[in-house]
Amino acid sequence: MSVLLDVQELQTRFQVRKGYVYAVNGVSFTLEEGETLAVVGESGCGKSVTMLSLVRLLPPAASIENGKVLLRGEDLLELNLRQLRDVRGGEVGMIFQDPMTSLNPFINIGTQMAEPLVYHRGMSKSDALARSAELLEMVGIPDGEARLRDYPHQFSGGMRQRVMIAMSMSCEPAVLIADEPTTALDVTIQAQIVELVKELRDRSGVAVIWITHDLSVVAGIADRVIVMYAGYIVEEAPVDALFEDPRHPYTIGLMGALPSLTGETGTRLTTIGGSPPDLVDLPDFCPFHLRCPYVIDRCRKENPMLEVVAEASERGHRAACWVDIREVNIESNAGAASS
């Protein structure tokens, strides 16, 4: 597969009264055609801002200070607003977290769905509405033609998210960004939405960036995973390698917080003590050091670079940590055995 999206040293910050919030700090990654990339981490770690920066969907207080976002070799950060509008929805589709606030409550679903088809594909209004009805049925909403006349409040939460998925896929984008699309839904509907996106990906070949807090969802949908913390990528790996051999303490902490069906009854989940750092006063050394059980002196002096720790695939398994977690665990197990 060839590289579709190449993000290089992306930096985004927000101006606030106290100074600047350093939300995205030199993020680099690639996305191949047809690949699903999951981006995980706590709230405020920079996941959504990173992906919104790709198509410059940012508030006035935000500014992109550095970086390149190459989509098929074209830098999206260099485009003017008219060119960028052609990319948004046309080449890059987006599913937002809360469909109730993303859909206009005063406009019926048909008009909202037809608009991108008219703008990006030059369809007539009648053809766009016919295609919209087909898309609704494709995402599991029966009697699509009749439902086009309905308004967002007449759909359930899961149905509204299906409408958003249909809209985001209507112009057959090359990249689909799904920003925590299952957050406000119950577990059963979450599973349905995940399966729907997987089915659409397999059918259309769209490359997917899936933003989530939930590592259990990642295991079932992603090819590769990025773990973010304090605006940095702290680990990146193929999904199997990440679950089998996590190399960053933060990733290990996130996995320890996952409930297990095979674990002993009554076993407490792992918690990560403390809170993420203040991004207005971000340290120039490891931002995770105050919460890390493996911290050493170097962690308090230098910020580790993201480096290859295992050749898990062609692009490898990368982590940003001064400590080799495997060696620490081996020493701990040896000490426990000898005692």
Side-chain angles (χ1 to χ4, degrees), residues 126-146:
S126 59
D127 287 345
L129 287 171
R131 176 58 178 158
S132 297
E134 292 175 2
L135 288 165
L136 286 183
E137 296 190 4
M138 184 181 73
V139 298
I141 298 179
D143 200 9
E145 185 176 355

Side-chain angles (χ1 to χ4, degrees), residues 18-215:
K18 295 190 296 181
Y20 290 97
V21 175
Y22 294 92
V24 181
N25 302 300
V27 166
S28 299
F29 65 90
T30 58
L31 179 70
E32 294 185 346
E33 293 182 358
E35 182 181 33
T36 298
L37 174 68
V39 184
V40 301
E42 294 168 289
S43 294
C45 69
K47 307 183 302 296
S48 295
V49 175
T50 297
M51 301 312 154
L52 291 172
S53 297
L54 302 185
V55 287
R56 289 153 49 194
L57 279 175
L58 298 168
S63 60
I64 298 174
E65 297 298 304
N66 186 47
K68 292 183 177 182
V69 179
L70 304 176
L71 179 62
R72 295 195 178 103
E74 182 177 39
D75 191 353
L76 302 187
L77 302 184
E78 298 293 331
L79 301 183
N80 60 40
L81 187 56
R82 177 58 185 271
Q83 293 169 321
L84 197 57
R85 284 180 182 145
D86 292 337
V87 172
R88 296 170 179 166
E91 291 293 321
V92 180
M94 192 121 190
I95 308 170
F96 295 98
Q97 290 188 32
D98 184 0
M100 194 59 192
T101 57
S102 302
L103 295 167
N104 191 321
F106 300 104
I107 302 176
N108 66 40
I109 292 299
T111 301
Q112 295 187 61
M113 290 191 65
E115 183 179 9
L117 290 167
V118 172
Y119 180 85
H120 290 292
R121 295 295 178 258
M123 288 185 177
S124 66
K125 182 68 177 293
S126 59
D127 287 345
L129 287 171
R131 176 58 178 158
S132 297
E134 292 175 2
L135 288 165
L136 286 183
E137 296 190 4
M138 184 181 73
V139 298
I141 298 179
D143 200 9
E145 185 176 355
R147 297 310 302 265
L148 291 176
R149 296 187 288 272
D150 291 341
Y151 290 79
H153 71 274
Q154 295 174 275
F155 292 78
S156 67
M159 289 291 194
R160 284 194 292 268
Q161 197 61 287
R162 289 174 184 269
V163 170
M164 284 298 303
I165 293 171
M167 288 178 65
S168 67
M169 291 294 294
S170 63
C171 296
E172 301 177 350
V175 179
L176 176 64
I177 300 174
D179 188 2
E180 300 188 37
T182 61
T183 297
L185 307 176
D186 63 55
V187 175
T188 303
I189 303 302
Q190 284 184 26
Q192 292 176 5
I193 295 299
V194 170
E195 288 302 315
L196 174 59
V197 173
K198 288 169 64 176
E199 179 184 337
L200 293 174
R201 177 200 62 189
D202 295 341
R203 184 187 304 175
S204 67
V206 65
V208 178
I209 299 176
W210 186 282
I211 305 169
T212 183
H213 294 96
D214 192 347
L215 275 169

Side-chain angles (χ1 to χ4, degrees), residues 1 30 32 35 37 223-225 236-242 244-245 247 308-318:
M1 290 187 292
T30 58
E32 294 185 346
E35 182 181 33
L37 174 68
D223 299 306
R224 200 159 46 93
V225 185
E236 178 186 358
V239 62
D240 291 340
L242 189 85
E244 293 171 4
D245 187 22
R247 295 297 191 90
V308 174
V309 293
E311 297 295 339
S313 70
E314 185 177 333
R315 284 178 283 179
H317 183 163
R318 302 190 298 163

